[in-house]
Amino acid sequence: KWTGSVPRQADFQSLDYDVIMHPAEVARRDKRSHPRSLFGYTGATLMRWVLVATIGMIMGFTARFIEWGVRTLVSARDSQVSGALQNSGSMLSAWWHLVAFNVSFGLFAALLTLGIEPAAMGSGISEIKAYLNGTHIPNLLRLRTVVIKVLGTIGAVSAGLAVGPEGPLV
């Protein structure tokens, strides 16, 4: 949960990349060094390509969902603001409707992130770079973090904040 402060350095752990020299692990590695192959490729190579294609499709669907959510919220906001302008005839009333919608969308995104999953803060690019360099960041690769990051991105973009879906999709 969010404690109101930046996580301490002690909360992060380094991943272990030491080579295991146990005899069973050495035998397993030696057995893997001469795999059966079909046209020079192993089943592991095919599975890697399937995994890459699956991740690409999931990210494409996620980006499409973000775009749909932003379009839906923005069109609802715009119709309410134009309705307020037509009904009252006052630019000030329409402006207050616009401000209310933008603040509510931004507040929705902030409360989701702070209240439910603080690991979803930030763009995600620097966190993934740190993870790939061997730093374990708690709760970074959880489904809840991804869901909150997607919903927060929809709220933040709909509020007109200077963010985009590129970073959170990393």
Side-chain angles (χ1 to χ4, degrees):
K1 295 292 179 187
W2 172 251
T3 60
S5 64
V6 177
R8 296 173 297 131
Q9 186 64 29
D11 293 340
F12 302 110
Q13 300 173 4
S14 178
L15 300 177
D16 187 11
Y17 288 120
D18 291 338
V19 177
I20 301 171
M21 296 307 294
H22 190 272
E25 177 64 22
V26 171
R28 186 181 71 80
R29 273 194 307 243
D30 288 344
K31 190 170 90 172
R32 276 192 346 190
S33 64
H34 305 292
R36 295 181 186 173
S37 64
L38 178 64
F39 302 117
Y41 295 102
T42 63
T45 305
L46 175 65
M47 290 310 295
R48 286 184 189 122
W49 280 105
V50 168
L51 181 65
V52 166
T54 304
I55 290 172
M57 286 189 287
I58 290 171
M59 288 296 102
F61 288 134
T62 304
R64 185 73 176 145
F65 176 73
I66 289 173
E67 189 265 333
W68 172 81
V70 168
R71 188 172 4 105
T72 302
L73 289 178
V74 167
S75 67
R77 178 195 65 197
D78 290 347
S79 68
Q80 289 294 321
V81 169
S82 66
L85 183 62
Q86 290 173 357
N87 291 340
S88 68
S90 169
M91 287 292 276
L92 186 62
S93 172
W95 184 79
W96 278 113
H97 275 80
L98 180 66
V99 168
F101 272 96
N102 286 346
V103 167
S104 65
F105 292 155
L107 192 61
F108 167 75
L111 290 178
L112 271 180
T113 305
L114 292 175
I116 297 176
E117 190 58 63
M121 285 190 286
S123 71
I125 295 171
S126 58
E127 289 88 352
I128 291 297
K129 284 170 71 175
Y131 188 81
L132 291 175
N133 282 322
T135 305
H136 174 70
I137 301 173
N139 303 328
L140 179 66
L141 300 176
R142 290 177 29 182
L143 180 62
R144 186 166 86 174
T145 304
V146 172
V147 169
I148 297 301
K149 195 173 278 284
V150 166
L151 294 176
T153 301
I154 291 171
V157 172
S158 298
L161 300 176
V163 295
E166 297 85 10
L169 291 181
V170 172

